[in-house]
Amino acid sequence: MRVLVTGGAGYIGSHTVVQLVAAGHDVVVVDSFANSKPTVVPRLEALIGGPLEVHAFDLTDRDKTESLFAERQFDAVIHFAGLKAVGESVEVPLEYYQNNLDSTFALVRAMQRHGCFRLVFSSSATVYGDNAPVPYQEDYEPLSAASPYGRSKVMIEQVLRDVASAGGQWRIAVLRYFNPVGAHPSGTIGEDPQGTPNNLMPFIAQVAVGAREELYVFGDDYPTPDGTAQRDYIHVEDLAAGHVAALHRIAHQEPGLRAWNLGTGHGTSVLEMIRAFEHASGRTVPYTVVGRRAGDLAAYWADATRAHEELGWSATRTVDDMCADTWRWQSSNPEGYPD
Ligand code: NAD
Ligand code: UDP
């Protein structure tokens, strides 16, 4: 298939591009580089062994999005493009709603106009909100989220559901990611957060490499075995493989929309993650326990059964693999991608 990957220069998109090409697909990327750097492109070209077609523009620009579809024929789209920092979304909610919703509107309209009806959308476990029973199951309702970022995902899921229900030929896969971590085993591509990382794994990696002094552990009084919060960390290479599997599935499924969790089905605590990273890196990760972070839940993980049964996909990489691959990327690129 010829697949348009929006946000293909970003963390998850870049890893997925490599696996799509390896699976025999013809890949075209569109990215505004709002949260990524063009220097990822030559690294991707080295991994895929050839040139990568990249269009640098903002999908919220409807004319440009329309022009791309007018020029090129696509069999499917994987839509990663979006802003994703929870804290920032609280400060500038309009930017988040506008970017995430308008880019999706422009894309879906252009797809409809040009007869491309296969779409894979990046959603998040955050749409399960505060009250869903653990493990999270796809049919849980009502979806809700605690931040403008999360609510933009809930809204887009709803828009896509309505578009699919309106009839026609839409085949839409909504993939709800748990906590993506890790890097390509080559160590040449990985997660490159701009500024202070919000997420646990890149923060630990920056402490281990010496770029930051210590990690703050947000709370050790949760009702969990060691008191720190548990999440379902999933290797980005497993996540990428989940997209290839979803793409194959929607090529054959009946028209409509279906959601799948992409997680391992297991929770890992903050302290377990620190210990695993110390083991993988051979470095000590100094930390101090501080108060809980507002909005954090104690523990959740995926019910990964549906993806296993329907996509033939399961996560295979361990927490030790996630730490080893993150360390290879971080230690060989302590400052991330070059400017
Ligand atoms: P990322 O920021 O690394 O990648 C997103 C890419 O989209 C960036 O390269 C950015 O420049 C681009 N982009 C943003 N807005 C755009 C626009 N309007 N037009 C064109 N390009 C645009 O993020 P990621 O971690 O790779 O996440 C990819 C997707 O997965 C996002 O939709 C995110 O919300 C979702 N997601 C991520 C996580 C996570 O923890 N990383 C978890 C759940 C869901
Ligand atoms: N966390 C932490 N220190 C940090 C960043 C995160 O203790 O500097 C904790 C956080 O409270 C949560 C877990 O690590 O329990 C995962 O946080 P992350 O932000 O990576 O993912 P999310 O909570 O959004 O799933």
Side-chain angles (χ1 to χ4, degrees):
M1 285 191 256
R2 181 177 297 135
V3 185
L4 179 66
V5 180
T6 78
Y11 172 45
I12 305 169
S14 58
H15 289 78
T16 305
V17 164
V18 176
Q19 290 201 21
L20 287 168
V21 173
H25 299 293
D26 184 7
V27 174
V28 175
V29 166
V30 56
D31 201 300
S32 63
F33 296 104
N35 194 41
S36 50
K37 291 184 184 158
T39 47
V40 69
V41 176
R43 293 185 180 203
L44 284 174
E45 289 177 329
L47 289 173
I48 65 178
L52 178 64
E53 183 178 331
V54 179
H55 297 266
F57 67 84
D58 190 321
L59 283 164
T60 63
D61 183 330
R62 282 192 223 167
D63 294 340
K64 286 188 179 154
T65 302
E66 166 62 27
S67 299
L68 179 63
F69 279 83
E71 278 163 27
R72 305 295 306 268
Q73 195 76 30
F74 298 109
D75 299 302
V77 176
I78 305 184
H79 184 31
F80 292 104
L83 299 176
K84 63 160 186 176
V86 174
E88 188 183 55
S89 80
V90 175
E91 284 156 26
V92 288
L94 266 182
E95 309 305 322
Y96 270 68
Y97 287 122
Q98 187 161 345
N99 186 74
N100 293 358
L101 289 160
D102 276 359
S103 58
T104 306
F105 294 148
L107 180 69
V108 171
R109 276 204 181 282
M111 290 175 71
Q112 186 148 272
R113 219 174 276 125
H114 295 278
C116 175
F117 293 109
R118 295 189 192 115
L119 175 64
V120 178
F121 173 63
S122 296
S123 190
S124 164
T126 193
V127 303
Y128 289 108
D130 291 350
N131 297 315
V134 176
Y136 290 168
Q137 290 184 319
E138 289 89 346
D139 286 336
Y140 177 80
E141 280 188 40
L143 299 182
S144 68
S147 71
Y149 161 69
R151 283 190 282 273
S152 76
K153 294 291 183 192
V154 173
M155 290 175 189
I156 294 169
E157 282 205 21
Q158 188 60 58
V159 168
L160 295 178
R161 197 169 296 278
D162 289 343
V163 166
S165 305
Q169 309 170 48
W170 283 100
R171 289 166 168 82
I172 301 177
V174 166
L175 302 182
R176 298 187 183 142
Y177 312 157
F178 282 68
N179 288 59
V181 296
H184 189 271
S186 66
T188 59
I189 59 170
E191 187 173 11
D192 181 19
Q194 307 302 302
T196 309
N198 301 305
N199 297 113
L200 179 66
M201 187 64 132
F203 207 109
I204 292 181
Q206 291 192 7
V207 172
V209 85
R212 291 180 193 277
E213 240 166 60
E214 61 172 347
L215 171 76
Y216 298 107
V217 173
F218 298 142
D220 66 353
D221 57 352
Y222 284 106
T224 59
D226 66 19
T228 64
Q230 295 170 309
R231 295 287 181 274
D232 186 342
Y233 297 95
I234 174 169
H235 198 299
V236 67
E237 288 282 292
D238 280 328
L239 199 59
H243 289 74
V244 179
L247 199 61
H248 291 170
R249 157 84 195 207
I250 61 168
H252 306 295
Q253 83 178 33
E254 291 298 301
L257 177 147
R258 188 120 174 110
W260 288 280
N261 287 337
L262 295 184
T264 65
H266 304 285
T268 302
S269 75
V270 177
L271 293 183
E272 286 169 334
M273 201 48 128
I274 294 172
R275 273 185 231 110
F277 205 91
E278 289 184 329
H279 177 71
S281 64
R283 301 277 180 101
T284 305
V285 177
Y287 68 85
T288 302
V289 177
V290 297
R292 295 181 180 191
R293 184 171 66 179
D296 272 352
L297 298 179
Y300 62 82
W301 50 88
D303 181 333
T305 314
R306 183 184 283 183
H308 178 60
E309 289 178 357
E310 298 181 2
L311 304 180
W313 170 92
S314 292
T316 59
R317 291 156 179 92
T318 63
V319 164
D320 289 337
D321 298 329
M322 302 174 204
C323 293
D325 290 331
T326 301
W327 178 241
R328 196 173 302 108
W329 154 253
Q330 184 72 50
S331 53
S332 39
N333 303 273
E335 279 156 26
Y337 292 107
D339 283 325

